[in-house]
């Protein structure tokens, strides 16, 4: 199978337009503050404006093409259109991993299902933070060991009952990768059609730091030791075993790494596949995606290899405690908004970043300019 063929057949990701950059930058610089005084919030506002004006322009052009308005030009006044955050939605993808049965985590795979039940009942950290900041939350079963009841409230997008143990055989097939991408595309489209302008990605899956570290090492061609961390707190012996099994997995499949998607199939997790698909789908729809920690960033790494323009739509929420996460962010030239020493997953860091995203939108929309306020611009 040719490199990127699955993604190319399902997604069409184009860069966010730069045509309004000068007007956006001028508006930001004319706010009543010294140049650059709001730091990362200014670059974040620029990114949000670029993405949303690209989407509005594309929708406007589509409408013009449909109505065939003679002599009418599609244009936006970028200094007048307000930015917006509509129906922010946290998507938490859950799945189990075959490698977890071989002693790479502090908890057994059954904890994945137990935590999904915790999400359903609103008792997890991600529930607390989503309630606090205003994220709606949706949990997706991508392939935990045991299916949930149909009335559980969890979205059923199962690719199987957990992946295969990647150090013994491929974690999944390319057919399952395609199905995961298709599931994710439909999921994101449903939310966008419902008015969502920003999604965030979280995950749950015992053993998924092993899958993420393996993907990172294979995609970036790095030593496994640099990519593996202690996850939720494994001891030295477990860390050594984790490194050994990931090395074994990469050595076993190395000759089959003919594309990014083949790497994903051999080493990935069902939740990582669907997060990758969600990123590609959101980028295709030109909406923002908030990336959480190590696992979500591994999905972003894969997505960016498949569609580099996806980078325009990604907001990296935080730098986690995992050493591999810090290296991966550097490789992606990503500047995270927060650094809190988090190592929980679930989307917790992405949830905590929403007030900063709201802050960028609000200062862009509401902060007076020097002319509006009658303040001398001495910068």
């Amino acid at each position: 199978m040719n490199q990127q063929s699955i993604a190319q057949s399902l997604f069409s990701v184009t860069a966010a337009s730069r045509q309004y950059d000068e007007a956006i930058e001028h508006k930001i610089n004319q706010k009543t503050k010294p140049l650059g005084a709001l730091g990362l919030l200014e670059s974040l506002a620029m990114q949000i404006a670029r993405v949303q004006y690209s989407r509005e322009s594309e929708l406007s052009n589509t409408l013009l093409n449909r109505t065939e308005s003679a002599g009418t030009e599609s244009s936006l006044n970028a200094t007048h259109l307000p930015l917006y955050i509509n129906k922010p939605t946290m998507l938490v993808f859950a799945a189990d991993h075959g490698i977890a049965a071989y002693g790479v985590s502090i908890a057994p795979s059954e904890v994945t299902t137990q935590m999904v039940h915790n999400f359903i009942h609103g008792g997890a950290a991600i529930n607390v933070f989503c309630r606090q900041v205003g994220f709606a939350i949706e949990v997706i079963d991508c392939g935990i060991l045991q299916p949930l009841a149909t009335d559980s409230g969890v979205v059923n997008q199962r690719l199987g009952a957990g992946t295969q143990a990647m150090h013994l055989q491929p974690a999944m097939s390319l057919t399952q990768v395609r199905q995961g991408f298709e599931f994710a595309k439909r999921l994101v489209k449903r939310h966008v059609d419902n008015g969502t302008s920003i999604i965030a990605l979280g995950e749950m899956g015992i053993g998924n730091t092993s899958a993420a570290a393996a993907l990172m090492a294979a995609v970036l061609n790095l030593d496994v030791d640099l990519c593996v961390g202690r996850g939720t707190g494994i001891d030295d012996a477990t860390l050594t075993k984790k490194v050994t099994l990931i090395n074994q997995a990469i050595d076993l499949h190395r000759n089959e790494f003919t594309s990014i998607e083949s790497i994903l199939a051999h080493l990935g997790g069902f939740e990582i596949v669907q997060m990758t698909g969600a990123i590609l789908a959101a980028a295709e729809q030109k909406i923002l995606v908030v990336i959480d920690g190590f696992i979500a960033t591994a999905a972003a790494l894969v997505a960016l290899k498949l569609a580099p323009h996806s980078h325009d739509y990604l907001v990296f929420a935080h730098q986690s405690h995992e050493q591999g996460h810090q290296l991966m962010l550097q490789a992606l030239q990503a500047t995270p908004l927060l650094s809190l020493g988090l190592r929980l997953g679930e989307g917790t860091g992405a949830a905590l970043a929403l007030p900063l995203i709201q802050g960028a939108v609000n200062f862009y929309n509401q902060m007076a300019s020097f002319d509006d306020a009658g303040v001398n611009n001495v910068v």
Side-chain angles (χ1 to χ4, degrees):
M1 183 167 288
N2 295 328
Q3 185 170 350
Q4 300 186 3
S5 59
I6 297 174
Q8 287 177 339
S9 70
L10 293 174
F11 306 102
S12 177
V13 177
T14 57
S17 173
R18 267 58 176 175
Q19 74 178 102
Y20 307 111
D21 280 10
E22 185 176 345
I24 296 167
E25 185 175 12
H26 178 76
K27 180 167 183 173
I28 292 172
N29 289 343
Q30 289 304 303
K31 299 295 185 182
T32 45
K33 60 173 181 57
L35 282 176
L38 288 177
L40 285 178
L41 291 183
E42 296 194 18
S43 55
L44 182 57
M46 167 65 84
Q47 179 187 10
I48 297 169
R50 180 184 288 155
V51 166
Q52 293 189 350
Y53 295 162
S54 294
R55 178 173 171 78
E56 295 298 326
S57 178
E58 188 173 282
L59 291 174
S60 177
N61 284 326
T62 299
L63 180 62
L64 279 173
N65 291 335
R66 287 175 180 168
T67 57
E68 299 179 346
S69 300
T72 303
E73 294 184 0
S74 172
S75 63
L76 291 172
N77 187 333
T79 61
H80 291 167
L81 279 178
L83 304 185
Y84 53 89
I85 297 177
N86 293 337
K87 298 183 178 180
T89 302
M90 175 69 66
L91 303 175
V92 182
F93 298 86
D96 278 306
H97 295 255
I99 196 172
Y102 294 84
V104 295
S105 303
I106 62 172
S109 290
E110 289 77 14
V111 171
T112 303
T113 300
Q114 292 167 4
M115 282 302 300
V116 169
H117 282 289
N118 196 18
F119 298 155
I120 295 169
H121 294 108
I126 189 58
N127 302 102
V128 172
F129 295 152
C130 282
R131 285 194 296 267
Q132 174 185 329
V133 303
F135 261 122
I137 183 171
E138 187 166 77
V139 182
I140 301 97
D141 176 5
C142 306
I144 61 178
L145 287 179
Q146 296 296 328
L148 298 169
T150 55
D151 61 351
S152 65
V154 172
V155 178
N156 182 355
Q157 296 188 170
R158 292 175 60 80
L159 298 174
T163 58
Q164 302 299 315
M166 63 179 171
H167 65 294
L168 301 177
Q169 56 189 301
M172 71 192 79
S173 67
L174 283 168
T175 299
Q176 288 170 305
V177 171
R178 172 180 282 276
Q179 181 65 71
F181 284 178
E182 290 174 347
F183 276 148
K185 180 166 183 168
R186 290 198 294 268
L187 178 75
V188 170
K189 185 177 187 303
R190 170 166 61 82
H191 283 288
V192 172
D193 288 348
N194 193 41
T196 294
S197 68
I198 182 170
I199 62 171
L201 305 183
E203 42 62 41
M204 178 64 215
I206 299 301
N208 63 9
T209 58
S210 294
L215 286 169
M216 177 185 173
V219 171
L220 296 178
N221 194 27
L222 294 174
D223 289 341
V224 170
D225 300 70
L226 296 175
C227 306
V228 174
R230 294 185 182 271
T232 50
I234 57 176
D235 59 21
D236 289 345
T238 306
L239 179 63
T240 298
K241 180 180 288 187
K242 186 175 180 179
V243 170
T244 299
L245 293 185
I246 293 173
N247 271 316
Q248 184 177 325
I250 292 174
D251 290 342
L252 176 65
H253 304 302
R254 192 182 304 276
N255 292 336
E256 304 299 322
F257 293 161
T258 56
S259 69
I260 296 300
E261 289 158 338
S262 67
I263 295 174
L264 184 58
H266 283 84
L267 303 176
F270 292 150
E271 80 278 45
I272 297 175
V273 166
Q274 295 196 36
M275 283 192 292
T276 301
I279 291 167
L280 297 172
E284 181 179 46
Q285 295 275 353
K286 289 185 164 51
I287 69 165
L288 292 166
V289 188
V290 188
I291 303 298
D292 187 45
F294 184 49
I295 318 301
T297 305
L301 172 66
V302 175
L304 290 172
K305 291 295 183 179
L306 294 170
H309 290 313
S310 299
H311 203 293
D312 288 353
Y313 307 93
L314 304 185
V315 175
F316 291 87
H318 74 112
Q319 177 177 290
S320 78
H321 195 65
E322 288 279 298
Q323 64 165 355
H325 192 212
Q326 299 167 32
L327 289 174
M328 196 153 36
L329 289 169
Q330 292 171 15
L332 296 178
Q333 297 182 318
T335 303
L337 297 177
L338 299 166
S339 181
L340 301 172
L342 302 178
R343 53 183 178 87
L344 180 58
E346 302 180 7
T348 48
L352 292 170
L354 183 59
L356 297 179
I357 298 168
Q358 292 168 326
V361 166
N362 289 338
F363 100 74
Y364 186 89
N365 290 343
Q366 301 172 21
M367 191 173 176
S369 69
F370 288 106
D371 287 343
D372 293 337
V375 175
N376 290 334
N377 186 351
V378 296
V379 179

